[in-house]
Structure formats: C-alpha cells, structure tokens
Amino acid sequence: MASEGEIMVESAEVAAGAADMGEAKPRHRLERKWTFWFDNPSKPNQGAAWGSSLRKAHTFETVEEFWCLYDQIFRPSKFPANADFHLFKTGIEPKWEDPECANGGKWTVTSSRKTNLDAMWLETLMALIGEQFEESDEICGVVASVRQRQDKVALWTKTASNEATQMSIGRKWKEIIDVTDKISYSFHDDSRREKSNRSGRYSV
Ligand code: MGP
C-alpha cells in the first residue's frame, strides 16, 4: 500500500499535470523556482530519525502551477494532523544541515485557530513567490506545522547573526500576515545544541 508521503507526491504530480493542460494559455513565470516539501513525522515509525519522512513533493516556477498545487494539495485544511508543510527555494532543503540554513534561524508565529493558519500560510506563500521581501536573498523558506494544541508558521532565514536584516524581515512578515503580537527569532544553532535553550534571540 502506498504511504501517505507517496500519495502526496503522486497527487502533486497529478496537480502539475493539470497545470500543464493549460499549455496554450500564457504562463506567468516567477522570479525563481520554489519547492513544496511534506513531512508527517509522528505517523509511520515512532522513534525514526528526524527527517526520515521528509519528502520533496513538487517544484514549480509559474503562478499557474502554484495555484493548482495550492488548491489541490497545499491548503492547511487538507493537512493531516502533525504534518509539516514547507515551501523552500528550490535547491535549499528544509533542514538545519543545509548549507544555506546552517547559520540561519527562524521567525515563528503560533496560532490556536485553524483559520489563522490558513490565512498566514497563504499570505506568506504569496509574499515569497511574489518576492515581497526586500531582503529576498536572506529568505530560505516557510514551514507550516499542524499541531493539536497550537499550529505554527515559521519563516526560515539565512544569516541569523545579522540582527538588522532579521528585524527588518520580521517586521515585514508581521505586516504581511497581519499579526500584532510579539514574535521571536531563534537561531538554528541554539535549537541544534540544546533543547532547553530555545528562547528567541530577537523579537519584534
Ligand atoms: P522543531 O520542529 O524545530 O521544534 O524540532 P518544535 O517547534 O519544538 O517542534 P514540534 O514539532 O514538537 O512542535 C523538533 C525536533 O526535531 C528537534 O529538537 C530536533 O530533534 C528535530 N529537528 C527539527 N528540525 C527542523 C531539524 C533539522 O533541521 N535537522 C535535524 N537534524 N533535526 C531537526
């Protein structure tokens, strides 16, 4: 039987095929290629190493493909419990170990209302593919985490030590997702080293 990850990948291919059917219509090419990833870590093998269920789902480079994939698969209301969905620049893996992420960190927003996750995820996706951040070179991608208690959206960036840049990205992101509460930025290095030392280094 196909695993959930395989089904996701297969659905993504179907979605991409559907996007291809509009061949005759003009396509709107994005500034760069983006890749959706999927992880559902809690399910298959309890105790499996982190990342063993992380799958690259689909890469796209036009607005049309994006909407097709989003509508058919990458909507939070379609996400299974405990899933993580990622949109990263193609070529960057959503892992601390990726060279582009290794010295980076993330801004995190939590939400106890599912409707918020939907809106924050979509607004962030559109801002990324629409290159709305001035510091777009600093952006790695975004992760939406479906959790029973509190959903989360995290924006991953490249150079954690550059406080001015991260503060500027954090401010802009809050505007985009319409959040007024404080959000905080954590370094991947801290998360990697010590579970207890997870408090944010910056907040905005
Ligand atoms: P997390 O999902 O970043 O933290 O990492 P959070 O928000 O506390 O998690 P939640 O899923 O419980 O809501 C949780 C754990 O997964 C970390 O402590 C690591 O053990 C592992 N992990 C997470 N990430 C993003 C990575 C990664 O990029 N590389 C490796 N090796 N492990 C990771």
Side-chain angles (χ1 to χ4, degrees), residues 98-162:
D98 186 281
E100 294 287 303
C101 302
N103 300 310
K106 62 180 182 184
W107 285 106
T108 304
V109 176
T110 55
S111 167
S112 44
R113 291 185 25 230
K114 296 285 167 198
T115 46
N116 283 358
L117 179 68
D118 274 51
M120 293 191 304
W121 171 242
L122 180 57
E123 292 299 334
T124 308
L125 295 181
M126 291 196 298
L128 294 184
I129 67 169
E131 306 289 336
Q132 284 178 35
F133 289 94
E134 255 173 60
E135 309 82 355
S136 60
D137 282 355
E138 265 295 313
I139 306 282
C140 296
V142 61
V143 186
S145 304
V146 182
R147 298 290 182 270
Q148 204 164 24
R149 264 196 303 153
Q150 271 197 323
D151 294 325
K152 282 182 291 193
V153 185
L155 185 66
W156 284 37
T157 64
K158 205 163 136 185
T159 322
S161 58
N162 191 337

Side-chain angles (χ1 to χ4, degrees), residues 50 94-97 106 147 152 156 195 198:
W50 184 90
K95 303 174 176 171
W96 307 330
E97 290 81 358
K106 62 180 182 184
R147 298 290 182 270
K152 282 182 291 193
W156 284 37
K195 237 190 140 83
R198 293 284 195 87

Side-chain angles (χ1 to χ4, degrees), residues 1 7 11 17-18 23 33 38 46 60 62 67 73-74 78 98 126 140 142 146 161 165 190 194:
M1 212 175 85
I7 292 167
S11 319
E23 212 77 82
K33 286 190 188 176
F38 168 70
Q46 307 285 351
F60 62 93
T62 66
W67 282 117
I73 305 163
F74 296 100
K78 300 197 177 207
D98 186 281
M126 291 196 298
C140 296
V142 61
V146 182
S161 58
T165 300
D190 293 342
E194 241 188 287

